[in-house]
Amino acid sequence: MGKVTDQLKDLPGYIASCVVDSDSGMTLEADAAGRLNIEMAAAGNTEVVKAKRKTMKMLGLKDEIEDILITLGQQYHVIRPLPGTSPVFVYVAVDRNVGNLALTRMRVAEVSRSLV
């Protein structure tokens, strides 16, 4: 099994991907080929994951985040925390006009499971 980002690069419409530690916001692995500031994306998405976890705690939800989808006009961004209490998440951005959302979510789930 190769790097996580290598396993995502062949997704239709692929723009960028990374693996992030949400405790520190540090990028553990990344690929963007200059199309996206991946370090900034990692830091910003860390805040998204933290906010959702905080909200779930406030609501008393005893559940885990499967994935977070952010739909932009031209892109899909999928954030998938690893299961359990791991602070790590996988993030991928794909071009909405070329990408396939179902395939993207399935692939991100597969590569996330390979990290557990």
Side-chain angles (χ1 to χ4, degrees), residues 27-95:
T27 303
L28 305 174
E29 181 183 326
D31 173 72
R35 295 185 62 195
L36 184 73
N37 182 332
I38 200 69
E39 298 296 328
M40 190 174 296
N45 287 317
T46 292
E47 296 305 314
V48 171
V49 171
K50 285 181 178 181
K52 188 59 190 175
R53 285 183 172 151
K54 180 179 177 183
T55 301
M56 290 172 64
K57 186 175 181 177
M58 289 186 313
L59 293 171
L61 299 176
K62 306 287 187 222
D63 209 344
E64 291 183 6
I65 300 169
E66 184 173 317
D67 64 24
I68 299 169
L69 169 64
I70 300 172
T71 305
L72 303 177
Q74 297 180 17
Q75 299 175 2
Y76 290 125
H77 292 216
V78 177
I79 303 165
R80 184 160 183 113
L82 299 188
T85 58
S86 174
V88 176
F89 66 87
V90 176
Y91 162 76
V92 65
V94 296
D95 183 312

Side-chain angles (χ1 to χ4, degrees), residues 3-12 14 16-18 90-92 94 104 107-109 111:
K3 290 176 32 175
V4 169
T5 54
D6 288 343
Q7 297 174 60
L8 297 170
K9 284 182 184 180
D10 67 341
L11 282 168
Y14 176 85
S17 63
C18 61
V90 176
Y91 162 76
V92 65
V94 296
T104 300
R107 180 75 59 79
V108 173
V111 299

